[in-house]
Coordinates of all heavy atoms in Angstrom, one line a residue:
G23 N 22.1 -34.4 -23.9 CA 20.8 -33.6 -24.0 C 20.2 -33.4 -22.7 O 20.8 -32.7 -21.8
P24 N 19.1 -34.0 -22.4 CA 18.3 -33.6 -21.2 C 19.0 -34.0 -19.8 O 18.6 -33.3 -18.9 CB 17.0 -34.4 -21.3 CG 17.3 -35.5 -22.3 CD 18.3 -34.9 -23.3
L25 N 19.8 -34.9 -19.7 CA 20.4 -35.3 -18.5 C 21.8 -34.5 -18.2 O 22.3 -34.6 -17.1 CB 20.8 -36.8 -18.4 CG 19.7 -37.7 -17.9 CD1 20.1 -39.1 -17.8 CD2 19.3 -37.3 -16.5
R26 N 22.2 -33.8 -19.2 CA 23.5 -33.1 -19.1 C 23.4 -32.1 -17.9 O 24.2 -32.0 -17.0 CB 23.9 -32.4 -20.3 CG 25.3 -31.8 -20.3 CD 25.8 -31.3 -21.7 NE 27.1 -30.9 -21.7 CZ 27.6 -29.9 -21.1 NH1 26.8 -29.0 -20.5 NH2 28.9 -29.6 -21.2
S27 N 22.4 -31.3 -18.0 CA 22.3 -30.2 -16.9 C 22.0 -30.8 -15.5 O 22.5 -30.3 -14.6 CB 21.2 -29.2 -17.3 OG 19.9 -29.8 -17.3
H28 N 21.2 -32.0 -15.5 CA 21.0 -32.6 -14.2 C 22.3 -33.1 -13.7 O 22.6 -33.0 -12.5 CB 19.9 -33.7 -14.4 CG 19.7 -34.4 -13.1 ND1 19.1 -33.9 -12.0 CD2 19.9 -35.8 -12.8 CE1 19.0 -34.7 -11.0 NE2 19.5 -35.9 -11.5
F29 N 23.1 -33.7 -14.6 CA 24.4 -34.2 -14.1 C 25.3 -33.1 -13.5 O 25.9 -33.3 -12.5 CB 25.1 -34.9 -15.3 CG 26.4 -35.6 -14.9 CD1 26.4 -36.9 -14.4 CD2 27.6 -35.0 -15.0 CE1 27.6 -37.5 -14.1 CE2 28.8 -35.5 -14.5 CZ 28.8 -36.9 -14.1
L30 N 25.3 -32.0 -14.3 CA 26.1 -30.9 -13.8 C 25.6 -30.4 -12.4 O 26.5 -29.9 -11.6 CB 26.1 -29.8 -14.8 CG 26.9 -30.0 -16.2 CD1 26.5 -29.0 -17.1 CD2 28.4 -30.0 -15.8
D31 N 24.4 -30.4 -12.3 CA 23.7 -29.8 -11.0 C 23.9 -30.9 -9.8 O 23.7 -30.5 -8.6 CB 22.3 -29.6 -11.2 CG 22.0 -28.5 -12.1 OD1 23.0 -27.5 -12.3 OD2 20.9 -28.3 -12.6
T32 N 24.3 -32.1 -10.1 CA 24.3 -33.1 -9.1 C 25.7 -33.7 -8.9 O 26.5 -33.2 -8.2 CB 23.4 -34.3 -9.3 OG1 23.5 -34.7 -10.5 CG2 21.9 -33.8 -9.0
A33 N 26.1 -34.6 -9.8 CA 27.4 -35.3 -9.7 C 28.5 -34.2 -10.1 O 29.7 -34.5 -9.8 CB 27.5 -36.5 -10.6
G34 N 28.3 -33.3 -11.0 CA 29.3 -32.3 -11.4 C 29.2 -31.0 -10.6 O 30.1 -30.1 -10.9
A35 N 28.5 -30.9 -9.5 CA 28.5 -29.8 -8.7 C 29.6 -29.7 -7.8 O 30.2 -30.6 -7.4 CB 27.2 -29.8 -7.9
P36 N 30.0 -28.5 -7.4 CA 31.1 -28.3 -6.5 C 30.9 -29.0 -5.2 O 31.8 -29.4 -4.5 CB 31.2 -26.8 -6.3 CG 30.5 -26.2 -7.4 CD 29.5 -27.2 -7.9
D37 N 29.7 -29.1 -4.7 CA 29.4 -29.7 -3.4 C 28.9 -31.1 -3.5 O 28.4 -31.7 -2.6 CB 28.3 -28.9 -2.7 CG 26.9 -29.0 -3.4 OD1 26.9 -29.2 -4.6 OD2 25.9 -28.7 -2.7
A38 N 29.2 -31.8 -4.7 CA 28.8 -33.2 -4.9 C 29.5 -34.1 -3.9 O 30.7 -33.9 -3.6 CB 29.2 -33.6 -6.3
R39 N 28.8 -35.0 -3.3 CA 29.3 -35.9 -2.3 C 30.3 -36.9 -2.9 O 31.2 -37.4 -2.1 CB 28.2 -36.6 -1.6 CG 27.3 -35.6 -0.8 CD 26.4 -36.1 0.2 NE 27.0 -36.9 1.2 CZ 26.3 -37.6 1.9 NH1 24.9 -37.6 1.9 NH2 26.9 -38.4 2.9
C40 N 30.2 -37.2 -4.2 CA 31.2 -38.1 -4.8 C 32.6 -37.5 -4.9 O 33.6 -38.2 -5.0 CB 30.7 -38.6 -6.1 SG 30.5 -37.4 -7.4
N41 N 32.7 -36.2 -4.7 CA 33.9 -35.5 -4.8 C 34.8 -36.0 -3.6 O 36.1 -35.8 -3.7 CB 33.8 -34.0 -4.7 CG 33.3 -33.5 -6.0 OD1 33.2 -34.1 -7.0 ND2 32.7 -32.2 -6.0
A42 N 34.3 -36.5 -2.6 CA 35.1 -37.0 -1.4 C 35.8 -38.3 -1.8 O 36.8 -38.6 -1.2 CB 34.2 -37.3 -0.2
F43 N 35.4 -38.9 -2.9 CA 36.0 -40.2 -3.3 C 36.6 -40.1 -4.7 O 37.5 -40.9 -5.0 CB 35.0 -41.3 -3.4 CG 34.1 -41.4 -2.0 CD1 32.8 -40.9 -2.0 CD2 34.6 -42.1 -1.0 CE1 32.1 -41.0 -0.8 CE2 34.0 -42.1 0.2 CZ 32.8 -41.6 0.3
L44 N 36.2 -39.2 -5.5 CA 36.6 -39.1 -7.0 C 37.1 -37.7 -7.2 O 36.7 -36.8 -6.7 CB 35.5 -39.5 -7.9 CG 34.8 -40.9 -7.6 CD1 33.5 -41.0 -8.3 CD2 35.8 -42.0 -7.9
D45 N 38.0 -37.7 -8.3 CA 38.6 -36.4 -8.7 C 37.5 -35.6 -9.5 O 37.1 -36.1 -10.6 CB 39.8 -36.7 -9.5 CG 40.4 -35.4 -10.1 OD1 40.1 -34.4 -9.7 OD2 41.4 -35.6 -10.9
P46 N 37.1 -34.4 -9.0 CA 36.1 -33.7 -9.7 C 36.5 -33.3 -11.2 O 35.7 -33.2 -12.1 CB 35.9 -32.4 -8.8 CG 36.5 -32.7 -7.5 CD 37.5 -33.8 -7.8
L47 N 37.8 -33.1 -11.3 CA 38.3 -32.7 -12.7 C 38.2 -33.9 -13.7 O 37.9 -33.7 -14.8 CB 39.8 -32.3 -12.6 CG 40.0 -30.9 -11.9 CD1 41.4 -30.6 -11.8 CD2 39.3 -29.8 -12.6
A48 N 38.4 -35.1 -13.1 CA 38.2 -36.3 -13.9 C 36.7 -36.5 -14.3 O 36.4 -36.8 -15.5 CB 38.7 -37.6 -13.2
I49 N 35.9 -36.2 -13.4 CA 34.4 -36.3 -13.7 C 34.0 -35.2 -14.7 O 33.3 -35.6 -15.7 CB 33.6 -36.1 -12.4 CG1 33.8 -37.2 -11.4 CG2 32.1 -36.0 -12.7 CD1 33.2 -37.0 -10.1
A50 N 34.5 -34.0 -14.6 CA 34.2 -33.0 -15.6 C 34.8 -33.4 -17.0 O 34.2 -33.1 -18.0 CB 34.8 -31.6 -15.1
G51 N 35.9 -34.0 -17.0 CA 36.6 -34.5 -18.2 C 35.8 -35.6 -18.9 O 35.7 -35.5 -20.1
L52 N 35.2 -36.4 -18.2 CA 34.4 -37.5 -18.8 C 33.2 -36.8 -19.4 O 32.8 -37.2 -20.5 CB 33.9 -38.5 -17.7 CG 34.8 -39.5 -17.2 CD1 34.2 -40.3 -16.0 CD2 35.3 -40.4 -18.2
L53 N 32.6 -35.9 -18.8 CA 31.4 -35.2 -19.3 C 31.7 -34.4 -20.5 O 31.1 -34.4 -21.6 CB 30.6 -34.4 -18.3 CG 29.3 -33.7 -18.8 CD1 28.4 -34.8 -19.2 CD2 28.8 -32.7 -17.7
A54 N 32.9 -33.7 -20.5 CA 33.3 -32.9 -21.6 C 33.6 -33.8 -22.8 O 33.2 -33.4 -24.0 CB 34.6 -32.1 -21.2

């Protein structure tokens, strides 16, 4: 619900800093 869009805008964003350490596709898969 309410945190989904915030997650997409931060940790799920293309420019997320965690992408330097983690696979963005895996992060998107967890959320999906």
